[in-house]
Amino acid sequence: LVKMMTPVNVEYTRAENSAIPISPSELWTHEYDHNRVGPFWLDRTSSEKVEDDPSKNEGETVEYACGLRVTGKFVDGNLQGIAIMTWADGACFQGAMCNNQRHGQGTYRWADGCTYEGEYSCNLRNGQGRLWAYTFQYYGTWKDDMMEGEGVYECLDENQIVWRAFEGNFEKNMPVSGILQTSDGQKHQVSYDGQTPVTGSPWLWMSLREDEQLLEVLTNESEDYQMVSKLFYTSAFPTSYEITRVSRVQNSGLCSLFQVQRNRLRNEILKRGLPWNHSTMERWLFYTLDGSAQPYGNSLRSSNREEDQLFTIINEGFQVNSDLGHKADFGVGAYFFRDAVRPISDFDFDELWVGEATNRSILLARVVVGRFTEGKPKCPAPPVDPTGKAGQHFHSLVDNFKDPKVFVIQNSASAYPAYKIDYKRIHLS
């Protein structure tokens, strides 16, 4: 197994029209895989047949009414030791059994060719193992039938060439943090949100170069540029605005503080017996200096001063107590917005830019909002959360609980300024 788990040398290129890897969660479910092996001895008719078969203790083959074919040794009605099981659809298992459960080393092959080879415990994948199919392969640690802990996940094209690979930590089949090598051969230190597969975009990209800059200008073809531009244009009207540059913020100190805060809130919520919802409790949100949801803000403000303030945030983080540009409509703190602009019906057309296009900047931040509640004007802090212990408050305030568009945080570590977006207003004719 150790030899099998050693990755082979492969060329990291992306072939034309290469197949998109299938997530492991699409190839199997715990219930499906578990039920293929576990209940076969519970078939009432089959059990009677086994009990009446004098050869059952001699390791010979027994066929069941459901189509399952078993070759192995039964002891007191339980399958023990090395066994081979084949189902009617072609799926098969060969490996160690203990009291009718997979326990020890084994190989399971699905009818579609997907194969797992590795360790089992109590009928589940536990320990070291390799899973491979036509579009991906994973080798690493498993826990309770899921990829968990250290592992390597490689995406394969139709020629079985690796075009994308992730090596790092997994939680419940999903990548969390590690090294991502993309189809262009570049390696990045990345963090995923816990619900995005390896083929999806991480929320955090960090360069591994020794000459790493605080701001790295992205090419239009890069993955994170595509992600950022999609988020911006979805809410910023592509016919009205044009991105001129996207820069990735690479402040490892601020990022570490954010990760600590995120993990702290996550553990706190999980200890309450509540679920951690990745899609609602941590978000991509836009930040402007003046509190308006319009990204261009007040056109009378000095652009140099705006740049200075943005670079202060990029270097030192969000200063929630000095965010004086906001009106504190929903509480005191740093204000973040779901959308880059407010709906067009809210615009005052007399204030729209005309004539020569003006360059502006906006930040896209990763914000852990945790459990939130509706805020009130000049509210100094979120109220006590009834689901928590004494002294535990809600983690953020919002404008509307059912459909929040504005988020207010009081802890600067709860937000990381991940990207700086430079854009211009497309000039009106």
Side-chain angles (χ1 to χ4, degrees):
L1 177 62
V2 174
K3 182 178 180 180
M4 177 199 70
M5 298 290 287
T6 303
V8 296
N9 293 326
V10 293
E11 181 183 359
Y12 285 81
T13 59
R14 176 79 184 269
E16 292 296 325
N17 301 318
S18 59
I20 299 300
I22 300 174
S23 168
S25 61
E26 296 176 38
L27 289 174
W28 81 82
T29 63
H30 163 72
E31 291 79 12
Y32 175 77
D33 187 39
H34 177 77
N35 289 340
R36 296 189 70 89
V37 175
F40 75 85
W41 67 90
L42 298 179
D43 184 316
R44 190 176 301 277
T45 303
S46 301
S47 296
E48 292 173 356
K49 181 178 179 180
V50 172
E51 290 172 358
D52 294 338
D53 190 341
S55 66
K56 66 180 181 179
N57 289 323
E58 299 176 5
E60 296 186 2
T61 300
V62 177
E63 294 187 3
Y64 290 78
C66 63
L68 174 65
R69 183 183 180 91
V70 178
T71 299
K73 184 177 182 179
F74 289 86
V75 178
D76 296 329
N78 294 317
L79 190 59
Q80 306 282 7
I82 302 300
I84 299 175
M85 288 173 281
T86 305
W87 285 264
D89 63 358
C92 61
F93 171 79
Q94 180 175 357
M97 299 290 293
C98 180
N99 296 326
N100 289 329
Q101 291 190 331
R102 292 165 291 181
H103 197 82
Q105 197 73 19
T107 300
Y108 192 106
R109 181 181 177 87
W110 284 261
D112 63 3
C114 184
T115 304
Y116 170 82
E117 182 177 359
E119 296 175 307
Y120 285 90
S121 177
C122 299
N123 220 31
L124 304 177
R125 287 172 282 263
N126 278 289
Q128 293 294 311
R130 178 185 175 218
L131 177 75
W132 69 94
Y134 298 112
T135 54
F136 75 93
Q137 60 183 353
Y138 168 83
Y139 33 91
T141 308
W142 295 78
K143 181 180 179 182
D144 296 337
D145 244 20
M146 291 183 286
M147 296 181 288
E148 187 86 15
E150 294 288 331
V152 176
Y153 187 106
E154 298 175 335
C155 305
L156 309 175
D157 65 15
E158 64 272 17
N159 297 316
Q160 299 296 287
I161 295 177
V162 178
W163 60 270
R164 185 181 181 89
F166 172 83
E167 181 176 1
N169 292 309
F170 287 79
E171 289 182 5
K172 297 182 179 179
N173 285 335
M174 293 298 174
V176 178
S177 61
I179 305 299
L180 177 68
Q181 182 159 335
T182 50
S183 58
D184 58 4
Q186 298 295 316
K187 291 185 178 182
H188 305 269
Q189 181 179 339
V190 299
S191 293
Y192 284 85
D193 60 9
Q195 63 180 2
T196 302
V198 172
T199 51
S201 183
W203 76 261
L204 173 68
W205 299 74
M206 298 288 280
S207 173
L208 294 177
R209 299 195 310 267
E210 293 183 0
D211 60 342
E212 174 182 309
Q213 301 296 316
L214 181 63
L215 283 179
E216 179 174 338
V217 178
L218 304 179
T219 64
N220 293 12
E221 295 76 24
S222 66
E223 265 188 54
D224 43 349
Y225 179 95
Q226 296 297 323
M227 177 197 69
V228 172
S229 63
K230 181 179 179 180
L231 289 170
F232 182 84
Y233 285 131
T234 297
S235 61
F237 309 113
T239 58
S240 302
Y241 300 95
E242 179 183 358
I243 292 177
T244 59
R245 181 171 55 189
V246 173
S247 302
R248 180 198 301 145
V249 177
Q250 300 187 140
N251 189 325
S252 57
L254 288 182
C255 185
S256 297
L257 290 175
F258 173 80
Q259 296 277 42
V260 170
Q261 175 71 351
R262 175 193 179 274
N263 293 335
R264 186 185 72 82
L265 296 188
R266 180 175 181 267
N267 292 336
E268 176 188 308
I269 290 174
L270 292 176
K271 286 180 180 179
R272 300 182 193 181
L274 301 174
W276 175 262
N277 190 319
H278 298 278
S279 61
T280 61
M281 293 183 173
E282 50 181 313
R283 301 175 180 241
W284 284 116
L285 299 173
F286 293 96
Y287 180 87
T288 59
L289 292 171
D290 68 340
S292 168
Q294 302 177 43
Y296 52 80
N298 183 351
S299 59
L300 299 179
R301 186 176 54 240
S302 166
S303 60
N304 290 334
R305 180 170 176 267
E306 180 181 70
E307 281 290 295
D308 290 343
Q309 289 178 303
L310 288 178
F311 271 98
T312 297
I313 293 172
I314 290 170
N315 278 281
E316 302 176 3
F318 296 97
Q319 304 298 316
V320 297
N321 294 326
S322 60
D323 202 358
L324 302 178
H326 299 285
K327 300 178 181 179
D329 291 337
F330 309 106
V332 177
Y335 275 60
F336 297 85
F337 300 90
R338 185 191 68 184
D339 303 320
V341 295
R342 67 173 60 135
I344 194 66
S345 59
D346 288 345
F347 280 173
D348 180 354
F349 283 93
D350 292 336
E351 296 180 359
L352 289 180
W353 293 341
V354 294
E356 183 178 355
T358 305
N359 289 314
R360 291 290 182 184
S361 299
I362 189 173
L363 295 178
L364 179 62
R366 189 68 177 178
V367 186
V368 54
V369 298
R371 284 179 52 80
F372 50 79
T373 188
E374 289 188 10
K376 298 179 180 179
K378 301 189 183 301
C379 178
V384 173
D385 187 343
T387 68
K389 298 179 181 179
Q392 290 184 332
H393 295 70
F394 284 98
H395 305 118
S396 59
L397 300 169
V398 296
D399 60 331
N400 184 294
F401 180 79
K402 293 183 178 180
D403 184 26
K405 298 181 178 65
V406 181
F407 294 81
V408 187
I409 64 168
Q410 285 74 30
N411 191 322
S412 60
S414 294
Y416 175 69
Y419 295 94
K420 178 176 177 285
I421 306 171
D422 300 326
Y423 65 96
K424 63 183 179 181
R425 175 88 179 177
I426 298 177
H427 122 129
L428 301 177
S429 58

